[in-house]
Amino acid sequence: MFEPAFTAGVRPGGLTDETQIRILVCYIIQNFSPVTEEELYTTLWENSQLVNYFELGSAVGNLSRLGHLRLEDDGYHITSSGAMAANDLTTAVPRSVRDRAMDSMLRLRARQSRIAQNRAEVQPYGSEYQLRCKIEDLGHTLLDVTMTFADLELAEHAKERFIENGDAETPNKIAFYS
């Protein structure tokens, strides 16, 4: 039943079995549908190193070809046969791996939400750089501030901090520096 997979780039405790990788893909898509290909790679490979990059691509292709996944404009959706596999075979994937994958996807979706809500843009301003940060909620601007930085690296760092820590609920607690 279990076929060995490529293990390059997989952290200890990650999946090295093709069947387990397929089950994990179905599990993630079942719980977060729709899921884009980029989200799958970010969640299962880039952020958590749970699977090998090439094995993930192979698993998604095989699952699609077998009719367990359906690709639509907004991403992958699970079919009834894929859901059955995710439900029936989930215990074949260690709980620690499932939990790490779920946590990784939750963090990714939370970041996507912050990026959508907390807009930040760096623009050249003479020999310096300006960072414009904006928080919107329900179509209203809650915060709109522009800051000037001496170099691009500082401006980009502040931009990332704003995206990570900006919160429409508490705009007075935004941290631009760590």
Side-chain angles (χ1 to χ4, degrees):
M1 177 176 173
F2 296 117
E3 300 175 31
F6 291 115
T7 60
V10 178
R11 73 186 306 174
L15 300 181
T16 58
D17 172 82
E18 291 179 15
T19 302
Q20 288 181 324
I21 293 169
R22 290 179 192 157
I23 294 167
L24 183 61
V25 168
C26 286
Y27 180 76
I28 288 296
I29 293 174
Q30 180 183 33
N31 284 286
F32 292 97
S33 183
V35 177
T36 66
E37 190 170 42
E38 180 180 346
E39 288 175 321
L40 277 176
Y41 278 95
T42 300
T43 297
L44 299 178
W45 175 69
E46 188 177 318
N47 288 350
S48 61
Q49 300 166 330
L50 289 172
V51 300
N52 173 275
Y53 177 88
F54 299 106
E55 291 294 338
L56 178 57
S58 176
V60 171
N62 288 334
L63 289 166
S64 295
R65 191 175 64 259
L66 293 169
H68 299 306
L69 300 180
R70 184 180 67 252
L71 180 60
E72 296 181 8
D73 290 340
D74 59 351
Y76 286 98
H77 295 260
I78 195 147
T79 65
S80 58
S81 64
M84 191 166 44
N87 290 332
D88 295 345
L89 303 173
T90 296
T91 57
V93 176
R95 177 150 185 118
S96 61
V97 171
R98 293 190 319 258
D99 288 350
R100 189 176 299 141
M102 293 289 280
D103 289 346
S104 181
M105 180 60 93
L106 287 169
R107 282 191 309 274
L108 176 63
R109 291 274 171 100
R111 179 171 170 70
Q112 290 170 335
S113 176
R114 285 191 306 273
I115 288 171
Q117 189 176 47
N118 305 334
R119 303 194 187 280
E121 182 179 19
V122 175
Q123 294 289 326
Y125 184 70
S127 63
E128 300 174 318
Y129 294 87
Q130 279 194 336
L131 170 62
R132 182 175 183 196
C133 300
K134 195 173 187 180
I135 296 178
E136 296 176 341
D137 191 31
L138 301 173
H140 298 305
T141 300
L142 301 177
L143 173 78
D144 190 350
V145 62
T146 302
M147 297 169 278
T148 303
F149 293 88
D151 63 49
L152 181 59
E153 185 177 350
L154 284 173
E156 289 291 340
H157 177 74
K159 174 184 172 181
E160 285 302 312
R161 296 289 299 161
F162 173 76
I163 290 170
E164 290 300 319
N165 297 308
D167 185 350
E169 301 296 319
T170 55
N172 60 327
K173 295 183 179 180
I174 297 170
F176 290 97
Y177 302 100
S178 56

